[in-house]
Amino acid sequence: MEETRTAIVTGAGQGIGRAIALRLASDGFNVVINDVNQERADSVSQEIQQLGKKSLAVKADVSNREEVFGLVSRTHEAFGSVDVMVSNAGIAQVKPLLEVSTEELERIFNVNVFGVLYGIQAAAEQMKKQGSGKIISACSIAGYKGFSLLGVYSATKFAVRGLTQAAAQELAPFGITVNAYCPGIVGTQMWEHIDEKMAEYMDLNRGEAFKQFSEGIALGRPEEPEDVAQFVSYLASSDSNYMTGQSIMIDGGVVFS
Ligand SMILES: NC(=O)C1=CN([C@@H]2O[C@H](COP(=O)(O)OP(=O)(O)OC[C@H]3O[C@@H](n4cnc5c(N)ncnc54)[C@H](O)[C@@H]3O)[C@@H](O)[C@H]2O)C=CC1
Ligand SMILES: CC(=O)C(C)=O
């Protein structure tokens, strides 16, 4: 009988990460739920266990290299392999570029860029021993287009695209593929935060920024976390075995790359 495969999803306590975790569990994976927030991680892990699937919650901050390596070792100890690493955790920052402080720059690069690189490093260390694996990271439409007030956030997502391309070439000899997904305007807590901050900077009412951005979506509705999860399910499956180094738009038609 084929072994059950194991996936780690970072930042899976809510939003897109939670949807990805639930989808991978229904695809048959054991799923390790990582989040910096223990309560949220526990809650999603329990949700998966209630579906009769195996899951473990592991608190770790993806901006801490040791904690990311610890997350991978805990997963290996619990389930015997790490077949898919989804580096989904990310934070947003809404600020004019001229006002961004060094501390703010460091914070967002630490999570969105260093966190993705640590995910690649830690997962690859284990996957090289296995001779196979799939590394999947969160990019964004902002990884292809710099958005006003989201300039530094956009820069972090451009960086994810660069890391994905380089890691794909370095890890191909070990049977590891590396890809990224680029969501558009997804109604999660991240967008609650973006909307609130944009309202302050642009003198808008709450909800107007989200509405304005959503009006630019060709398919005519904001994205649901499940729209992203369905695509990540493909990236985690053997159907995507011949794809590597790609950061693919899953945005309902906002940015055409
Ligand atoms: N919401 C959107 O419209 C879009 C989101 N994305 C990306 O998708 C990913 C997920 O976004 P959402 O679900 O919307 O965000 P969210 O803010 O709703 O959820 C993010 C989760 O990550 C966790 N997290 C934050 N920092 C962490 C850290 N250092 N270590 C571990 N966990 C951490 C949070 O506790 C939270 O549970 C992010 O990388 C984001 O940049 C990309 C394009 C669009
Ligand atoms: C959060 C995000 O990536 C965008 C572009 O909305």
Side-chain angles (χ1 to χ4, degrees), residues 92-149:
Q93 182 189 93
V94 181
K95 208 140 208 212
L97 286 172
L98 303 192
E99 293 178 15
V100 178
S101 68
T102 304
E103 291 72 25
E104 286 164 339
L105 260 181
E106 282 172 356
R107 171 84 189 118
I108 193 166
F109 269 83
N110 280 340
V111 177
N112 293 11
V113 183
F114 292 20
V116 163
L117 179 56
Y118 298 153
I120 291 170
Q121 291 177 333
E125 184 182 72
Q126 172 57 33
M127 289 172 179
K128 277 166 85 169
K129 294 180 200 151
Q130 298 168 188
S132 67
K134 286 174 173 278
I135 299 174
I136 303 165
S137 307
C139 188
S140 165
I141 50 172
Y144 279 87
K145 177 182 168 186
F147 287 87
S148 175
L149 294 175

Coordinates of all heavy atoms in Angstrom, one line a residue, residues 92-149:
A92 N 1.1 41.8 5.6 CA 0.9 42.9 4.6 C 1.4 44.2 5.3 O 1.6 44.2 6.6 CB -0.5 43.1 4.2
Q93 N 1.7 45.2 4.5 CA 2.1 46.5 5.1 C 1.6 47.5 4.1 O 1.9 47.5 2.9 CB 3.6 46.6 5.2 CG 4.1 47.8 5.8 CD 5.6 47.9 5.6 OE1 6.1 48.4 4.6 NE2 6.3 47.3 6.5
V94 N 0.8 48.5 4.6 CA 0.2 49.5 3.8 C 0.9 50.8 4.2 O 0.6 51.3 5.3 CB -1.3 49.6 4.0 CG1 -1.9 50.7 3.1 CG2 -2.0 48.3 3.7
K95 N 1.7 51.4 3.3 CA 2.5 52.6 3.7 C 3.1 53.2 2.5 O 3.6 52.5 1.6 CB 3.6 52.2 4.7 CG 4.0 53.3 5.6 CD 4.3 52.8 7.0 CE 4.0 53.9 8.0 NZ 4.9 53.9 9.1
P96 N 3.0 54.5 2.4 CA 3.8 55.2 1.3 C 5.3 54.8 1.4 O 5.8 54.8 2.5 CB 3.5 56.7 1.4 CG 2.4 56.8 2.4 CD 2.4 55.5 3.2
L97 N 6.0 54.6 0.3 CA 7.4 54.2 0.4 C 8.2 55.2 1.2 O 9.1 54.8 1.9 CB 7.9 54.0 -1.0 CG 7.5 52.8 -1.8 CD1 7.9 52.8 -3.2 CD2 8.0 51.5 -1.1
L98 N 7.9 56.5 1.0 CA 8.7 57.5 1.7 C 8.6 57.5 3.2 O 9.4 58.1 3.9 CB 8.4 58.9 1.1 CG 8.5 59.1 -0.4 CD1 8.4 60.6 -0.8 CD2 9.8 58.5 -0.9
E99 N 7.6 56.8 3.7 CA 7.4 56.8 5.2 C 7.9 55.5 5.9 O 7.7 55.3 7.1 CB 5.9 57.0 5.5 CG 5.4 58.4 5.1 CD 3.9 58.5 5.4 OE1 3.3 57.7 6.1 OE2 3.4 59.5 4.8
V100 N 8.4 54.5 5.1 CA 8.7 53.2 5.7 C 9.9 53.3 6.5 O 11.0 53.8 6.0 CB 8.8 52.1 4.5 CG1 9.2 50.8 5.1 CG2 7.5 52.0 3.7
S101 N 9.9 52.8 7.7 CA 11.1 52.8 8.6 C 11.9 51.5 8.4 O 11.4 50.6 7.8 CB 10.6 52.9 10.1 OG 10.0 51.7 10.4
T102 N 13.1 51.6 8.9 CA 14.0 50.4 8.8 C 13.4 49.2 9.5 O 13.4 48.1 9.0 CB 15.3 50.8 9.5 OG1 15.9 51.9 8.8 CG2 16.3 49.6 9.3
E103 N 12.8 49.5 10.7 CA 12.1 48.4 11.5 C 11.0 47.7 10.7 O 10.9 46.5 10.7 CB 11.6 48.9 12.8 CG 12.6 49.3 13.8 CD 13.3 50.6 13.5 OE1 12.7 51.5 12.7 OE2 14.5 50.8 13.9
E104 N 10.2 48.6 10.0 CA 9.1 48.0 9.2 C 9.6 47.2 8.1 O 9.0 46.1 7.7 CB 8.2 49.2 8.8 CG 7.3 49.8 9.9 CD 6.7 51.1 9.6 OE1 7.2 51.8 8.6 OE2 5.8 51.5 10.2
L105 N 10.6 47.7 7.4 CA 11.2 47.0 6.3 C 11.7 45.6 6.7 O 11.5 44.6 6.1 CB 12.5 47.7 5.8 CG 12.4 48.6 4.6 CD1 13.8 49.2 4.3 CD2 11.9 47.9 3.4
E106 N 12.4 45.6 7.9 CA 13.0 44.4 8.4 C 11.9 43.4 8.7 O 12.0 42.2 8.4 CB 13.9 44.7 9.6 CG 15.2 45.2 9.2 CD 16.1 45.7 10.4 OE1 15.6 45.7 11.6 OE2 17.2 46.1 10.2
R107 N 10.9 43.9 9.4 CA 9.8 43.0 9.8 C 9.2 42.3 8.7 O 9.0 41.0 8.7 CB 8.7 43.8 10.6 CG 7.5 43.1 10.9 CD 7.6 42.3 12.2 NE 6.4 41.5 12.5 CZ 6.5 40.2 12.5 NH1 7.6 39.5 12.5 NH2 5.4 39.5 12.7
I108 N 8.8 43.0 7.6 CA 8.1 42.3 6.5 C 9.0 41.5 5.7 O 8.6 40.4 5.2 CB 7.3 43.4 5.6 CG1 6.3 42.6 4.7 CG2 8.2 44.3 4.9 CD1 5.2 43.5 4.1
F109 N 10.3 41.9 5.5 CA 11.2 41.0 4.7 C 11.5 39.8 5.6 O 11.7 38.7 5.0 CB 12.5 41.8 4.4 CG 12.4 42.4 3.0 CD1 11.8 43.7 2.8 CD2 12.8 41.8 1.9 CE1 11.6 44.2 1.6 CE2 12.7 42.3 0.6 CZ 12.1 43.6 0.5
N110 N 11.6 39.9 6.9 CA 11.9 38.7 7.7 C 10.8 37.7 7.6 O 11.1 36.5 7.5 CB 11.9 39.1 9.2 CG 13.3 39.7 9.6 OD1 14.3 39.5 8.9 ND2 13.3 40.5 10.6
V111 N 9.5 38.1 7.5 CA 8.5 37.1 7.4 C 8.3 36.6 6.0 O 8.3 35.4 5.6 CB 7.1 37.7 8.0 CG1 6.0 36.6 7.8 CG2 7.3 38.1 9.4
N112 N 8.1 37.6 5.0 CA 7.7 37.2 3.7 C 8.8 36.7 2.8 O 8.6 35.9 1.9 CB 7.1 38.4 3.0 CG 5.8 38.9 3.6 OD1 5.4 38.4 4.6 ND2 5.1 39.8 2.9
V113 N 10.0 37.1 3.1 CA 11.2 36.7 2.2 C 12.1 35.7 3.0 O 12.3 34.5 2.5 CB 12.0 37.9 1.7 CG1 13.1 37.4 0.8 CG2 11.1 38.9 1.0
F114 N 12.6 36.1 4.2 CA 13.4 35.2 4.9 C 12.6 33.9 5.3 O 13.1 32.8 5.2 CB 13.9 35.8 6.2 CG 14.9 36.9 6.0 CD1 15.0 37.6 4.8 CD2 15.8 37.3 7.0 CE1 15.9 38.7 4.6 CE2 16.7 38.4 6.9 CZ 16.8 39.0 5.7
G115 N 11.3 34.1 5.6 CA 10.5 33.0 6.0 C 10.3 32.0 4.9 O 10.4 30.7 5.1
V116 N 10.2 32.5 3.6 CA 10.1 31.6 2.5 C 11.4 30.9 2.2 O 11.5 29.7 1.9 CB 9.6 32.4 1.2 CG1 9.9 31.7 -0.1 CG2 8.1 32.7 1.4
L117 N 12.5 31.6 2.3 CA 13.8 31.0 2.1 C 14.1 29.9 3.2 O 14.6 28.8 2.9 CB 15.0 32.0 2.1 CG 16.4 31.4 1.9 CD1 16.5 30.6 0.6 CD2 17.4 32.5 1.9
Y118 N 13.8 30.2 4.4 CA 14.0 29.2 5.5 C 13.1 28.0 5.2 O 13.6 26.9 5.4 CB 13.6 29.8 6.9 CG 14.5 30.9 7.3 CD1 14.0 31.9 8.2 CD2 15.8 31.1 6.9 CE1 14.8 32.9 8.7 CE2 16.6 32.2 7.3 CZ 16.0 33.1 8.2 OH 16.8 34.2 8.6
G119 N 11.9 28.2 4.7 CA 11.1 27.1 4.3 C 11.7 26.2 3.2 O 11.7 25.0 3.3
I120 N 12.3 26.9 2.2 CA 13.0 26.2 1.2 C 14.2 25.4 1.7 O 14.4 24.2 1.5 CB 13.5 27.1 0.0 CG1 12.3 27.7 -0.7 CG2 14.5 26.5 -0.9 CD1 12.6 28.9 -1.6
Q121 N 15.0 26.1 2.6 CA 16.2 25.4 3.1 C 15.8 24.2 4.0 O 16.4 23.1 3.8 CB 17.0 26.4 4.0 CG 17.6 27.6 3.1 CD 18.3 28.6 4.0 OE1 18.0 28.8 5.2 NE2 19.3 29.3 3.4
A122 N 14.9 24.4 4.9 CA 14.6 23.3 5.9 C 13.9 22.2 5.1 O 14.2 21.0 5.4 CB 13.7 23.9 7.0
A123 N 13.0 22.5 4.2 CA 12.3 21.4 3.5 C 13.3 20.6 2.6 O 13.3 19.4 2.6 CB 11.1 21.9 2.7
A124 N 14.1 21.4 1.9 CA 15.0 20.8 1.0 C 16.0 19.8 1.7 O 16.4 18.8 1.2 CB 15.8 21.8 0.2
E125 N 16.4 20.2 2.9 CA 17.4 19.4 3.7 C 16.7 17.9 3.9 O 17.4 16.9 3.6 CB 17.7 20.0 5.0 CG 18.7 19.2 5.8 CD 18.9 19.8 7.2 OE1 18.0 19.7 8.1 OE2 20.0 20.4 7.4
Q126 N 15.5 17.9 4.2 CA 14.8 16.6 4.4 C 14.5 16.0 3.0 O 14.7 14.8 2.9 CB 13.5 16.8 5.2 CG 12.6 15.6 5.3 CD 13.3 14.4 5.9 OE1 14.2 14.6 6.8 NE2 12.9 13.2 5.5
M127 N 14.0 16.8 2.1 CA 13.5 16.2 0.8 C 14.7 15.6 0.0 O 14.5 14.6 -0.7 CB 12.8 17.3 0.0 CG 11.4 17.6 0.6 SD 10.7 19.1 -0.3 CE 9.1 19.2 0.6
K128 N 15.9 16.2 0.2 CA 17.1 15.7 -0.5 C 17.3 14.2 -0.1 O 17.7 13.4 -0.9 CB 18.3 16.5 -0.2 CG 18.4 17.8 -1.1 CD 19.4 18.8 -0.7 CE 20.8 18.5 -1.1 NZ 21.7 19.6 -0.8
K129 N 17.1 14.0 1.2 CA 17.3 12.6 1.8 C 16.3 11.7 1.2 O 16.6 10.5 1.0 CB 17.2 12.6 3.3 CG 18.3 13.4 4.0 CD 18.1 13.3 5.5 CE 18.8 14.4 6.2 NZ 18.1 14.8 7.5
Q130 N 15.1 12.2 0.9 CA 14.0 11.3 0.4 C 14.1 11.1 -1.1 O 13.6 10.2 -1.7 CB 12.6 12.0 0.7 CG 12.3 12.2 2.1 CD 11.1 13.2 2.3 OE1 10.9 13.5 3.5 NE2 10.4 13.6 1.3
G131 N 14.8 12.1 -1.8 CA 14.9 12.1 -3.3 C 13.7 12.6 -4.0 O 13.6 12.5 -5.2
S132 N 12.8 13.3 -3.2 CA 11.7 13.9 -3.9 C 11.0 14.9 -2.9 O 11.2 14.8 -1.7 CB 10.6 12.9 -4.2 OG 10.1 12.3 -3.1
G133 N 10.2 15.8 -3.5 CA 9.4 16.7 -2.6 C 8.9 17.9 -3.5 O 9.4 18.1 -4.6
K134 N 8.0 18.6 -2.9 CA 7.4 19.8 -3.6 C 7.4 20.9 -2.7 O 6.8 20.8 -1.6 CB 6.0 19.4 -4.1 CG 5.9 18.5 -5.3 CD 4.5 18.1 -5.6 CE 4.5 17.3 -6.9 NZ 4.5 18.1 -8.1
I135 N 8.0 22.0 -3.1 CA 8.1 23.2 -2.3 C 7.2 24.3 -3.0 O 7.4 24.5 -4.2 CB 9.5 23.7 -2.0 CG1 10.3 22.7 -1.3 CG2 9.5 25.0 -1.3 CD1 11.8 23.0 -1.2
I136 N 6.3 24.8 -2.2 CA 5.3 25.7 -2.8 C 5.2 27.0 -1.9 O 5.0 26.8 -0.7 CB 3.9 25.0 -2.8 CG1 4.0 23.7 -3.6 CG2 2.8 26.0 -3.4 CD1 2.7 22.8 -3.4
S137 N 5.3 28.2 -2.5 CA 5.4 29.4 -1.6 C 4.3 30.3 -2.1 O 3.9 30.4 -3.2 CB 6.7 30.0 -1.7 OG 7.8 29.1 -1.4
A138 N 3.9 31.2 -1.1 CA 2.9 32.3 -1.4 C 3.6 33.5 -2.0 O 4.4 34.1 -1.5 CB 2.2 32.7 -0.1
C139 N 3.2 33.7 -3.3 CA 3.6 35.0 -4.0 C 2.3 35.8 -4.0 O 1.5 35.8 -3.0 CB 4.1 34.6 -5.3 SG 4.8 36.0 -6.2
S140 N 2.0 36.6 -5.0 CA 0.8 37.4 -5.1 C 0.8 38.1 -6.5 O 1.9 38.1 -7.2 CB 1.0 38.5 -4.0 OG 0.1 39.6 -4.3
I141 N -0.3 38.7 -6.8 CA -0.3 39.6 -8.0 C 0.7 40.7 -7.8 O 1.3 41.2 -8.7 CB -1.7 40.1 -8.3 CG1 -2.4 40.8 -7.1 CG2 -2.6 39.1 -8.9 CD1 -3.7 41.5 -7.3
A142 N 0.9 41.0 -6.5 CA 1.9 42.1 -6.2 C 3.3 41.6 -6.4 O 4.3 42.4 -6.2 CB 1.7 42.5 -4.7
G143 N 3.5 40.3 -6.8 CA 4.8 39.8 -7.2 C 5.1 40.1 -8.6 O 6.2 39.8 -9.1
Y144 N 4.1 40.6 -9.3 CA 4.3 40.9 -10.8 C 4.0 42.4 -11.0 O 4.5 42.9 -12.0 CB 3.3 40.1 -11.6 CG 3.7 38.7 -11.9 CD1 3.4 37.7 -11.0 CD2 4.4 38.4 -13.0 CE1 3.8 36.4 -11.3 CE2 4.9 37.1 -13.3 CZ 4.6 36.1 -12.4 OH 5.0 34.8 -12.6
K145 N 3.3 43.1 -10.1 CA 3.0 44.5 -10.3 C 3.2 45.2 -9.0 O 2.7 44.7 -8.0 CB 1.6 44.6 -10.8 CG 1.1 46.0 -11.0 CD -0.3 46.1 -11.4 CE -0.8 47.6 -11.3 NZ -2.2 47.8 -11.5
G146 N 3.9 46.3 -9.0 CA 4.1 47.1 -7.7 C 2.8 47.9 -7.5 O 2.4 48.7 -8.4
F147 N 2.2 47.7 -6.4 CA 0.9 48.5 -6.1 C 1.3 49.7 -5.2 O 2.0 49.5 -4.2 CB -0.1 47.6 -5.4 CG -0.7 46.6 -6.4 CD1 -0.2 45.4 -6.6 CD2 -1.9 46.9 -7.0 CE1 -0.7 44.4 -7.4 CE2 -2.5 46.0 -7.9 CZ -1.9 44.7 -8.1
S148 N 0.7 50.8 -5.5 CA 0.8 52.0 -4.6 C 0.3 51.7 -3.2 O -0.7 51.0 -3.0 CB -0.1 53.1 -5.2 OG -0.1 54.2 -4.4
L149 N 1.1 52.1 -2.2 CA 0.8 51.9 -0.8 C 1.2 50.5 -0.4 O 1.1 50.2 0.8 CB -0.6 52.2 -0.4 CG -1.0 53.7 -0.4 CD1 -2.5 53.8 -0.1 CD2 -0.2 54.6 0.5

